[in-house]
Amino acid sequence: MLRLARLRFLLYNLLPVGLAVAVSVHQGHPINLTWYAVAQLFAWTVHLMTHFCNEYFDLEADRANVFFTPWTGGSRALVDGMVAPVVSLGAGFVLFGLSTLMVAAMPSLPARLLAATAVVLAWFYTAPPGRLNYRGAGELTVAAILNGLWPAVAVVLQAGTVPWLLVAVLTPTAVLQVARMMVMNLGDRRSDATVGKRTLPVILGYRPAVRLIIAAQPLAYGMVTTFALLGWVPWLVWAAMAATAPLSVWLVIQLRRGAMRDLDPVRMTPVVFWASNHVSLIVAAAMLGVVLDAIRRSASTGALAVLGAVLAGYALLFAHRLWLARRASATV
């Protein structure tokens, strides 16, 4: 079950939720630790629900995939017969029920509407009749949830509204999230096509998909810079986010060299690893920038200490993930 759950992907959830709370503190709102915890648990519950749901409804595509990596092609737990498919579906339904109860417990109509939308989109990402990831909408759906709805729920629970600063910071990260999901789906494009799973790389084709991923990189950083020039994003936040640009450069170089072209798992693994973590790191950088700017504004010391601890915890867990990835590559 642990393999099926793919818990390593849940590390990311600390960041959009933490960023939302950091923006709330930055805007002068006191931190509410209870609702912070609820928002974090909600994000984890929905994310786990999506994993179990995906494993069941993506089983045909995963069975067809012989070019999988540790980051693409599913957990392989159902493919390898380690867990019965019905167990995965049952766990998904249980988590759907828990998510729904959490939505009902939220204190305001805007929070409930945002949270309910996240649950519905997450479930129908692969489940019928929506099957969004089979109809060219999967990449946008992931960005809408991870870089939109989850932080929106968290900030509404704290501040009662969605500050413009959060929208301005999240928009470019959502662009990179779409590109990241396209990179992941590039690796699955052949098996996806055989089972009728029409992700954007399947619909567009390899070369147009690569060109779109490459174009997304300067677009995202150009957006951050424009928002900073307009005064919508503090320059400290801009500097922190801009510091992640070398990862975009590296990704572009790898894609231009054809790292994803031949579906070689050895060549694909570092690309999908860093494409995925690129989004994590720019959101972490945004959170760090917001916290630093909040310090400059003399925000609550206690709230900043909590947010700093979250960032430190993420940094330690990411360092451990990086060590595991390097150890795995050394044994290949």
Side-chain angles (χ1 to χ4, degrees):
M1 284 295 287
L2 287 177
R3 180 174 169 183
L4 188 66
R6 309 187 82 185
L7 295 177
R8 64 172 174 258
F9 287 101
L10 270 62
L11 173 60
Y12 172 77
N13 295 344
L14 289 170
L15 300 172
V17 174
L19 172 61
V21 177
V23 168
S24 176
V25 171
H26 182 277
Q27 301 293 294
H29 299 279
I31 191 170
N32 186 313
L33 293 177
T34 299
W35 288 116
Y36 187 173
V38 168
Q40 189 63 72
L41 288 171
F42 174 73
W44 277 332
T45 302
V46 175
H47 204 157
L48 271 177
M49 177 200 77
T50 309
H51 283 178
F52 287 120
C53 181
N54 289 355
E55 290 285 322
Y56 181 83
F57 291 108
D58 262 348
L59 183 54
E60 185 183 5
D62 290 343
R63 281 176 173 159
N65 194 339
V66 295
F67 303 106
F68 58 89
T69 73
W71 299 90
T72 58
S75 72
R76 318 304 294 176
L78 299 188
V79 174
D80 295 342
M82 299 173 64
V83 182
V86 69
V87 174
S88 185
L89 182 62
F93 273 116
V94 169
L95 291 166
F96 179 85
L98 289 175
S99 301
T100 304
L101 289 174
M102 295 177 77
V103 171
M106 290 181 183
S108 67
L109 180 60
R112 290 192 292 272
L113 289 175
L114 289 166
T117 303
V119 173
V120 171
L121 288 177
W123 181 262
F124 289 114
Y125 177 67
T126 50
R131 309 207 84 183
L132 297 168
N133 200 29
Y134 283 69
R135 305 174 190 274
E139 294 87 351
L140 292 171
T141 300
V142 171
I145 297 172
L146 273 63
N147 296 66
L149 291 168
W150 280 343
V153 169
V155 79
V156 167
L157 289 175
Q158 294 290 322
T161 187
V162 181
W164 176 244
L165 171 59
L166 184 63
V167 176
V169 169
L170 285 175
T171 302
T173 72
V175 171
L176 293 177
Q177 186 69 261
V178 172
R180 170 248 175 175
M181 288 305 301
M182 289 184 67
V183 171
M184 310 291 271
N185 286 333
L186 272 178
D188 297 338
R189 68 186 186 277
R190 189 170 299 171
S191 55
D192 287 346
T194 63
V195 300
K197 184 177 179 180
R198 292 175 57 76
T199 63
L200 285 182
V202 172
I203 294 171
L204 298 173
Y206 173 75
R207 291 184 183 279
V210 167
R211 286 196 291 267
L212 191 57
I213 293 165
I214 290 173
Q217 310 305 312
L219 173 62
Y221 287 97
M223 292 172 74
V224 176
T225 302
T226 300
F227 293 162
L229 289 170
L230 291 172
W232 298 345
V233 172
W235 284 105
L236 268 175
V237 179
W238 171 85
M241 296 177 73
T244 65
L247 277 173
S248 272
V249 174
W250 180 88
L251 177 63
V252 168
I253 291 171
Q254 297 305 310
L255 291 173
R256 286 189 176 277
R257 289 177 177 174
M260 303 294 292
R261 182 178 54 229
D262 300 325
L263 299 178
D264 177 3
V266 174
R267 293 188 69 194
M268 290 195 300
T269 296
V271 177
V272 296
F273 174 84
W274 282 111
S276 184
N277 285 289
H278 177 208
V279 180
S280 299
L281 290 171
I282 195 171
V283 177
M287 182 177 173
L288 175 62
V290 170
V291 169
L292 291 176
D293 201 62
I295 292 173
R296 186 179 65 83
R297 291 167 173 253
S298 303
S300 167
T301 303
L304 294 174
V306 171
L307 296 166
V310 171
L311 276 171
Y314 170 79
L316 288 172
L317 291 169
F318 177 75
H320 179 66
R321 171 186 284 182
L322 189 58
W323 175 77
L324 289 175
R326 287 180 174 174
R327 189 177 69 171
S329 64
T331 60
V332 174

